[in-house]
Amino acid sequence: MSDQHATPYPAKQRAPQHLVDIIHSPLAAWLILLVSIIITVAAWHISNNYAEKSAQERFAFRVNEAQAAINNRMQEYEQMLRGAAGLLIASDNVTRTAWRNYVSNLQIDKFWPGVQGVGYSVWVPPPQRTKLIKKIRAEGFNEFTIKPAGEREIYTSIIYLEPFSGRNLRAFGFDMYTEATRRAAMQRAIDTGEAAVSGRVTLVQETQKDTQAGFLMYLPLYRQPVTTTEERRAAIQGFVYSPFRIRDLMQGILGGELRDLDFEIYDGAPAMPEKLLYAGNQRADQNPAPRQALLSKSMNLVLGGNLWTINYSSTPTFTTHMEVSQPMVIAVGGVVVDLLLFYIVLSLANLRNRAVQLAEEMVEKLGEQQMHFKSISDTANDGIVSADKNGNINYFNKAAQHIFGYTADEILGRPISDLMPERYRAPHTSGFKRFIGNGLSANAGTPIELYGLRKSGDEFPLELSLSHWHANGRHHTNAVIRDISERKKVERMKSEFISTVSHELRTPLTAIRGALALIGYNSGDAPAKFDQGEMLALAQSNIERLSRLIDDLLDVEKMESSQLRLHVQALALTTLLETAVHNCRPAADAAGVAVNLGPIENVRILADTDRFQQIMSNLLSNAIKFSPYGSRITITTRSVIQGITISVADQGSGIPDAFRERIFQKFAQADASDSRARGGTGLGLSICKMLVERLDGALSYDSVPGQGQGSIFHVTLPVAKQAKIAV
């Protein structure tokens, strides 16, 4: 207590052994084991993450390689078709022999694996169907016909397909436009003028042996140059196309280059089993056997307007490249070292004897007591200041720091008189010396009131209790200090409030008593100038004013004690303002003042009906009181970020500058004699502000005094979530 920065005395004696004690304690062994295991786990984790990250990066690179290989090869196939299309465009009559020679020169078996052939399918309007059949039969194909048979609006027919042997003979004369998947790709090719890839199909070339899923690529040919979709549809001549068997194609594209990568290709998205095109080395028309892969990734690839979903996964060959041995070596070796270190430290800890343990417990207990006392002191609401026999501060708790504005480092070692105004310092110094010399005096601990001095230079009233004690030959004085600024302020406000309320109550009571005294005269004896009806009206008016004052005082008390209950709900603003205008109409008419509703936002606000009307009644009543005869009061609204602002504007003389700082204070009035004569209590605006703030709103005003522009009071309130009201 005497030295704010000093450590407990017993702990100071044990300090040289502190590090040794920690090293030899069982806790240290467990902590070292925990830390070393954490380090080992961290090292294993870093090594394992590095291996995994390396594998992921290599896997991503391989996936991108596969994507690029497939995409590039399909672009090459498209160029092959464009070459065939160029042959047809360059010659008015490409014979079957010329087509065979062209395709034979491509050597598709050698350079274009997966392609079943290169064909030409002609667009056949129904009137030209018979002519086409006769033409092909005249070439020696006596059984040629367009398959399947039947009447339809349009026909297509494969007339060229090379190599013209084996499986491809089954496609000769086939009308691909009759099948939905092929037709969708052919129509897309017609409309775009670009190469189009079909969805998953079973090629007509397929047999019962080695069946594979397939697809086709179409490149449209037109009779003349075209630019629009309608022109393309009208000028379509046919299609250069190639059928693909997917497994042959994939093996031709990727071959043995990606043995550490397996993948599944699905037609469209999402990947559906029935849309499977290719599944690694398995048949594309069978569901692949499930296999857990270390790494996997799903990619989309758009080819000729058709979407493929490709699910890539790593193979066991890929995972063997991972450096799995290094993380395991780190983990096993680290655990062995950790256990050996733990055994050594624990063995040292067991060498400690009971005497050292007892001494340590005593040191800990004394330290805990001092820390407990310091904790109590630091959490006290009153300031606690301790000074030595010379009056220099050696302890300054947190409450004292808050009261005086000094930190402990700033004030420790300075005279305690620095905390007092200059006029009290000399008497304090002599009195302090007498206090120390006499020991614990008779009035020690008795609170006294005087003034303190903050670091900022501000004086403030405080309550002080002194005590004296000594230990180890050193004398100390403790001062318990309480800042009584708020208490003094409350006492002053209480006194002013009682005085104001007494005056406000006495004024109407005096008027009532005088009026009743005049009425008490006999009719014959009453002075002619006093009219009994007028006296009764005066008494009634002051009774109402007294009643309003009491109601306002009760409202203020309820709000300040948080006893006022509000029923907040969504209310129609237009209806509320119309009611407020209706309620104030008699007073306005009597004063010769018009009250108008300007532009009103048709919204719902969150408010209490009665309290909202109380707010508007006070604002409109004040506006009527201070508005000249023949003027008008206007109520408008506007939307703001906080909700809706309701403005009440009058044409009075405005608010004097001297009154603005206290306009919302209790019993505050700009012109006391005038307002009281009109029945004001001086609490209206104060109540309005408290009510508006209880409704999560804000009250403000604008005014230009003395220029006839009047005052505008603004009430901002929140709106309901469904703000607009249907009209």
Side-chain angles (χ1 to χ4, degrees):
M1 186 68 186
S2 61
D3 188 349
Q4 192 153 353
H5 295 295
T7 56
Y9 178 78
K12 186 175 181 180
Q13 295 295 327
R14 294 288 299 160
Q17 301 296 323
H18 187 60
L19 182 60
V20 176
D21 293 342
I22 292 178
I23 294 175
H24 288 83
S25 68
L27 176 61
W30 287 103
L31 288 175
I32 290 173
L33 177 62
L34 176 62
V35 172
S36 59
I37 289 178
I38 291 174
I39 293 173
T40 301
V41 171
W44 171 85
H45 184 69
I46 292 171
S47 177
N48 191 61
N49 281 350
Y50 175 78
E52 290 182 357
K53 184 178 180 181
S54 177
Q56 290 171 354
E57 291 175 350
R58 187 155 44 86
F59 177 74
F61 177 77
R62 299 294 277 167
V63 167
N64 291 334
E65 274 190 323
Q67 288 280 103
I70 296 172
N71 189 61
N72 293 340
R73 181 60 63 87
M74 294 307 296
Q75 289 180 358
E76 293 174 0
Y77 290 151
E78 180 181 338
Q79 293 304 317
M80 177 187 69
L81 293 183
R82 290 190 180 277
L87 174 65
L88 293 170
I89 294 172
S91 176
D92 294 336
N93 184 20
V94 177
T95 65
R96 189 175 303 278
T97 301
W99 185 263
R100 181 183 303 111
N101 292 336
Y102 175 80
V103 175
S104 176
N105 188 60
L106 291 175
Q107 302 184 55
I108 61 176
D109 290 338
K110 181 178 181 181
F111 298 108
W112 309 94
V115 178
Q116 283 299 108
V118 180
Y120 176 55
S121 176
V122 66
W123 185 268
V124 186
Q128 299 179 14
R129 173 190 176 194
T130 303
K131 180 180 178 181
L132 175 67
I133 294 174
K134 289 180 180 181
K135 177 183 177 183
I136 301 300
R137 287 181 178 179
E139 295 176 2
F141 301 98
N142 297 329
E143 296 182 359
F144 174 81
T145 188
I146 297 178
K147 302 175 292 186
E151 298 293 332
R152 42 190 178 270
E153 294 182 0
I154 196 67
Y155 297 88
T156 66
S157 177
I158 300 173
I159 60 173
Y160 294 163
L161 181 58
E162 295 294 337
F164 193 57
S165 61
R167 297 173 182 268
N168 285 346
L169 295 177
R170 299 164 57 90
F172 189 45
F174 179 58
D175 183 355
M176 293 182 288
Y177 205 70
T178 59
E179 195 273 320
T181 303
R182 293 175 173 86
R183 181 170 62 251
M186 296 168 76
Q187 192 62 52
R188 186 167 65 251
I190 294 172
D191 292 345
T192 62
E194 300 292 337
V197 173
S198 75
R200 182 184 188 275
V201 298
T202 300
L203 300 176
V204 295
Q205 290 95 327
E206 290 295 341
T207 63
Q208 298 299 321
K209 183 180 179 181
D210 189 26
T211 302
Q212 299 181 27
F215 66 94
L216 302 102
M217 179 182 287
Y218 297 96
L219 188 67
L221 290 176
Y222 304 99
R223 287 186 292 272
Q224 68 270 348
V226 292
T227 56
T228 66
T229 300
E230 290 73 15
E231 291 176 350
R232 294 187 185 101
R233 292 178 179 177
I236 185 63
Q237 175 180 328
F239 305 88
V240 177
Y241 81 100
S242 285
F244 298 88
R245 303 181 80 211
I246 187 66
R247 179 150 35 94
D248 294 344
L249 176 66
M250 289 299 111
Q251 290 177 352
I253 295 176
L254 302 178
E257 297 179 2
L258 298 175
R259 294 186 182 277
D260 54 359
L261 197 66
D262 199 3
F263 56 94
E264 301 165 357
I265 301 177
Y266 294 86
D267 181 23
M272 305 293 289
E274 62 272 15
K275 294 290 188 178
L276 181 65
L277 277 170
Y278 178 74
N281 294 323
Q282 305 180 54
R283 294 173 56 87
D285 57 351
Q286 296 177 348
N287 291 330
R291 178 175 61 82
Q292 294 294 330
L294 179 64
L295 299 171
S296 62
K297 187 174 184 180
S298 181
M299 300 284 285
N300 290 333
L301 184 62
V302 178
L303 299 173
N306 188 58
L307 175 67
W308 283 1
T309 299
I310 308 179
N311 294 337
Y312 295 93
S313 58
S314 60
T315 65
T317 304
F318 181 89
T319 57
T320 57
H321 294 293
M322 294 181 60
E323 297 295 333
V324 295
S325 59
Q326 181 180 351
M328 184 59 65
V329 170
I330 291 175
V332 174
V335 170
V336 171
V337 173
D338 296 342
L339 292 176
L340 288 174
L341 183 61
F342 169 72
Y343 176 77
I344 294 172
V345 177
L346 189 61
S347 298
L348 292 174
N350 291 331
L351 298 178
R352 307 297 295 169
N353 55 53
R354 183 61 181 169
V356 173
Q357 293 178 359
L358 292 175
E360 190 176 57
E361 291 174 1
M362 293 177 62
V363 170
E364 183 178 357
K365 184 176 294 185
L366 290 173
E368 287 178 354
Q369 290 177 352
Q370 182 167 352
M371 292 301 296
H372 180 68
F373 180 79
K374 186 176 184 300
S375 175
I376 294 174
S377 173
D378 284 343
T379 56
N381 292 327
D382 292 337
I384 300 176
V385 181
S386 179
D388 58 22
K389 65 178 182 179
N390 297 319
N392 296 323
I393 300 171
N394 54 23
Y395 184 81
F396 206 70
N397 76 337
K398 291 183 178 180
Q401 296 173 34
H402 176 72
I403 292 173
F404 289 96
Y406 291 99
T407 64
D409 291 336
E410 291 174 331
I411 199 66
L412 291 179
R414 292 173 57 178
I416 195 171
S417 58
D418 286 355
L419 303 178
M420 301 178 182
E422 184 69 31
R423 60 184 180 278
Y424 294 115
R425 292 181 182 178
H428 160 76
T429 301
S430 58
F432 180 79
K433 291 180 179 179
R434 289 195 304 271
F435 183 79
I436 295 297
N438 296 333
L440 187 62
S441 62
N443 63 346
T446 303
I448 58 176
E449 292 186 6
L450 54 111
Y451 282 88
L453 182 66
R454 303 188 201 275
K455 179 182 178 181
S456 62
D458 297 333
E459 295 186 12
F460 67 98
L462 59 82
E463 189 177 77
L464 176 68
S465 298
L466 292 175
S467 62
H468 178 73
W469 60 282
H470 60 87
N472 299 324
R474 292 183 292 180
H475 295 266
H476 304 276
T477 301
N478 286 344
V480 179
I481 299 169
R482 178 172 298 173
D483 185 349
I484 58 174
S485 301
E486 288 299 321
R487 189 176 76 188
K488 291 294 185 180
K489 181 179 179 181
V490 170
E491 290 175 355
R492 183 173 63 256
M493 291 176 62
K494 182 178 179 181
S495 176
E496 293 175 355
F497 179 77
I498 293 174
S499 175
T500 303
V501 171
S502 299
H503 175 75
E504 294 292 336
L505 291 174
R506 188 180 297 109
T507 299
L509 286 174
T510 301
I512 294 170
R513 182 170 58 187
L516 293 178
L518 290 174
I519 295 172
Y521 287 115
N522 293 328
S523 299
D525 298 332
K529 64 178 179 180
F530 295 113
D531 181 81
Q532 290 189 0
E534 182 180 349
M535 293 300 103
L536 287 173
L538 178 61
Q540 179 66 28
S541 173
N542 281 274
I543 290 172
E544 291 176 354
R545 178 184 175 189
L546 186 59
S547 176
R548 286 196 304 272
L549 176 60
I550 294 172
D551 289 342
D552 288 347
L553 288 172
L554 289 175
D555 283 344
V556 170
E557 192 278 332
K558 286 180 181 179
M559 284 185 282
E560 290 183 344
S561 61
S562 299
Q563 294 181 358
L564 185 67
R565 297 293 179 262
L566 299 178
H567 181 55
V568 178
Q569 56 185 324
L571 303 171
L573 179 59
T574 302
T575 303
L576 292 174
L577 293 179
E578 289 174 350
T579 302
V581 172
H582 174 76
N583 292 339
C584 76
R585 188 74 68 187
D589 292 343
V593 178
V595 181
N596 299 327
L597 280 176
I600 303 298
E601 292 282 343
N602 199 19
V603 299
R604 292 187 183 278
I605 63 172
L606 294 174
D608 179 290
T609 302
D610 294 337
R611 297 305 174 182
F612 180 85
Q613 293 300 338
Q614 184 177 0
I615 293 168
M616 293 305 300
S617 175
N618 278 324
L619 295 180
L620 290 171
S621 176
N622 281 348
I624 292 171
K625 288 177 186 178
F626 296 103
S627 293
Y629 188 88
S631 64
R632 69 176 181 276
I633 298 170
T634 305
I635 303 174
T636 58
T637 66
R638 60 186 174 89
S639 296
V640 294
I641 296 176
Q642 297 84 353
I644 193 78
T645 295
I646 306 159
S647 300
V648 179
D650 61 48
Q651 295 178 319
S653 58
I655 300 171
D657 292 337
F659 180 63
R660 295 191 178 199
E661 291 185 359
R662 54 192 181 90
I663 187 171
F664 294 118
Q665 295 179 3
K666 302 179 185 69
F667 299 105
Q669 294 176 327
D671 186 345
S673 61
D674 182 61
S675 61
R676 289 191 180 97
R678 299 185 185 187
T681 65
L683 293 172
L685 289 178
S686 176
I687 292 174
C688 284
K689 185 172 179 62
M690 287 190 286
L691 285 175
V692 170
E693 290 175 351
R694 284 289 302 275
L695 292 171
D696 293 330
L699 176 61
S700 61
Y701 71 92
D702 297 314
S703 181
V704 181
Q707 298 183 17
Q709 298 184 26
S711 304
I712 307 175
F713 281 83
H714 307 287
V715 178
T716 301
L717 294 173
V719 299
K721 290 184 178 179
Q722 300 296 329
K724 293 292 182 182
I725 303 175
V727 179

